[in-house]
């Protein structure tokens, strides 16, 4: 499995140069940096867990989880995703210095976290 670190086609989402979207993008990256960075154990992995707001990829919520033992997980905080999409969150993770595994076809390795296909999880690591 390869990990993506944003070396190709990353950066802010389309429209991020506009005033309001630019502020939303900056806030998203700051929230990701703070919440994921604080939860990340040295040399470890955290999981971002998102719930979709609709049938596209708009997000309703995002939480950061960390394993506390081999069999239990604990929530470490929420990220204010506003009007962000899954792709926006992926790009914000990379902009904040994190990476994640990719599938064989070079897509982020999201996994369905709940039945019904509305909640997904992505394991996140520090770059390097």
């Amino acid at each position: 499995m390869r990990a993506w670190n944003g070396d190709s086609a990353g950066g802010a989402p389309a429209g991020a140069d506009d005033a309001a979207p630019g502020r939303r993008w900056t806030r998203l990256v700051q929230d990701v940096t703070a919440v994921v960075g604080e939860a990340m154990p040295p040399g470890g992995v955290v999981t971002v867990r998102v719930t979709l707001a609709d049938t596209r990829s708009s997000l309703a919520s995002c939480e950061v989880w960390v394993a506390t033992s081999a069999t239990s997980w604990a929530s470490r905080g929420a990220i204010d995703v506003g009007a962000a999409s899954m792709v926006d969150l992926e790009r914000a993770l990379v902009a904040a210095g994190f990476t994640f595994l990719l599938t064989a076809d070079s897509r982020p390795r999201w996994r369905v976290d709940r039945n019904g296909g509305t909640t997904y999880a992505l394991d996140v690591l520090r770059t390097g």
Side-chain angles (χ1 to χ4, degrees):
M1 224 18 80
R2 295 174 322 196
W4 186 64
N5 64 7
D7 289 340
S8 63
D17 292 334
D18 300 335
R23 282 193 299 272
R24 284 193 300 265
W25 169 250
T26 299
R27 182 182 41 79
L28 180 59
V29 173
Q30 289 170 339
D31 284 355
V32 164
T33 300
V35 178
V36 174
E38 185 177 306
M40 182 76 65
V45 176
V46 299
T47 297
V48 292
R49 190 170 173 234
V50 299
T51 301
L52 299 179
D54 53 32
T55 57
R56 296 172 306 196
S57 67
S58 298
L59 302 178
S61 67
C62 177
E63 294 179 327
V64 177
W65 289 78
V66 66
T68 56
S69 71
T71 59
S72 68
W73 288 81
S75 176
R76 293 294 189 227
I79 296 171
D80 180 6
V81 289
S85 68
M86 289 174 81
V87 172
D88 294 337
L89 179 60
E90 294 160 3
R91 290 178 177 163
L93 285 161
V94 170
F98 301 103
T99 189
F100 41 83
L101 297 177
L102 298 175
T103 63
D105 60 348
S106 298
R107 295 177 187 254
R109 193 179 202 190
W110 288 98
R111 60 187 185 280
V112 176
D113 195 48
R114 285 198 182 147
N115 293 335
T118 59
T119 302
Y120 296 86
L122 180 68
D123 294 334
V124 177
L125 310 105
R126 286 200 193 279
T127 304

